Amino acid sequence: MFKLSKNKEKQYLSELFEFLKIPSVSADPKYNKSVNKAANWLSKSLSNSGCNNVEIINTDGHPIVYGEKIIDSKLPTILVYGHYDVQPPDPIELWDSSPFDPVIKKTDIHPQGAIFARGACDDKVQVYMHIKSLELMIAKNSLPCNVKFMIEGEEEIGSNNLEIFVSNNLDKLKADIILISDTGIINNKNPSITTALRGLSYMEIKVTGPNRDLHSGLYGGTVANPINVLCEIISKLKDSKGTVNIPGFYENVQILSIDEREKIAKVPFDKDLFKKSIGVKDTEGEIGFSTPERKSIRPTLDVNGIWGGYIGEGAKTVIPSIANAKISMRLVPNQNWKKISSIFENHIQNIAPKTVRVEITTHHGGQAYVTPTNNIGYKAAHLAYKKSFGKVPFAVRDGGSIPIVPMFEELLNCKTILMGFGLDSDAIHSPNEHFGLFNFFKGIETIPYFYHNYTKLYKEKYF
Ligand code: BES
Ligand code: MN
Ligand code: MN
């Protein structure tokens, strides 16, 4: 629909680089100023695109940026959601270029070049594609329906304040469909639409033993070592078959039909490439399930971080007073994240020895989500990818989580279409995160098709 001139491409990239240069890390208060700066930048970008009623809404946490273009109340309304906050760039020393100084480099997977920066794929470039798509539609007088934008700054830390904002603004946010580009496609030759997200329960364990770090000679062998205890607890959470050993963990897990599992098996998946791309000798996981199944339709448990004791230079003989671990559980449809968090807590307390004190904190969580494929939103996305990539998109259940999506359904009674353009190899949350230029321009091409297809299908259905 929109073929960009070389000049326009250049202009877009230089604008985008300004956005990527702002270190809008939501998790760390030392970046708060930059988070506000990113919200400001976005609000200006939205206004420049032709959006009306653009506002920066302050919350108890980071601000939400809102804008809308309402052309006719009889026409359908698309609510675009995204996030301008990014993950911390650490470990910085593993980046080949500075995380907040974007550069374009060619890679094997992105021969046309990719933009390297924290937040490139997740989710700044994908948000920017939506703004530019809207700008182009408004400029060419071809915006077919109403649109509302809601871009938040706390997705990476659990969207707590967005939930409050949505509950208090049900009318303002009323829409026919929610559109999000914060996921990916299989690869640049095989487009796909994400039809499921996993739920999440994120926990922290703190094990306390003696009231201070002890000399490991004077005390070694006489008291429980919190790190040893923590390791023992963790080693009991999963067995060698990849099964999570928490009583009740699998109670409500949705079991997929053979038909649905066959569909998953038909989606292109190159196991050797998978292994090679992350540098592992082999995969592992729950017995009886394929790798694509293990990362989509099955729940799992992983330690995300573990610390305690002496980790500085050289050796220090010490029994630590405290050991900590952060543990996440990825959940699937019908598991309730609050219930899972609570059975996790009970189980840990049950198996912990009486020689230590164990404290458990729930960080955040959310439900899994499944997009139906028999509605006009999905159909519109399907046709949009088909047109821009020249290939029918696969429906793929994803392993990541966007907890606000099931929340939208609950509060706004509205379905979400997950039209992402990133690749798994784009290294989101990792050093050297990037986003392909091909993907960037494809996004700008595909999104307007969605608007047009959706409006057309909506009219056929309701007019
Ligand atoms: N955009 C990701 C989620 C994602 C990426 C889903 C790719 C599917 C494919 C999102 O920003 C994210 O990182 N979510 C977190 C959860 C959040 C509560 C911190 C996640 O999945 O770990
Ligand atoms: Mn994201
Ligand atoms: Mn993320």
Side-chain angles (χ1 to χ4, degrees), residues 83 85-87 122-123 155-156 182 401 428-429:
H83 62 96
D85 64 321
V86 303
Q87 286 279 333
D122 187 12
D123 181 32
E155 196 277 339
E156 300 291 10
D182 192 22
S401 309
I428 64 172
H429 295 204

Side-chain angles (χ1 to χ4, degrees), residues 139-167:
K140 302 264 160 68
N141 240 322
S142 69
L143 178 67
C145 60
N146 306 308
V147 56
K148 297 174 176 175
F149 269 67
M150 175 169 68
I151 315 297
E152 71 153 318
E154 295 189 307
E155 196 277 339
E156 300 291 10
I157 52 171
S159 304
N160 289 337
N161 292 294
L162 187 72
E163 186 181 338
I164 299 165
F165 175 73
V166 174
S167 321

Side-chain angles (χ1 to χ4, degrees), residues 183 194-199 331 367-370 398-402 405 418:
T183 53
T194 299
T195 52
L197 295 163
R198 281 197 287 191
L331 310 175
Q367 293 298 110
Y369 183 73
V370 179
D398 221 314
S401 309
I402 311 178
V405 169
L418 296 157

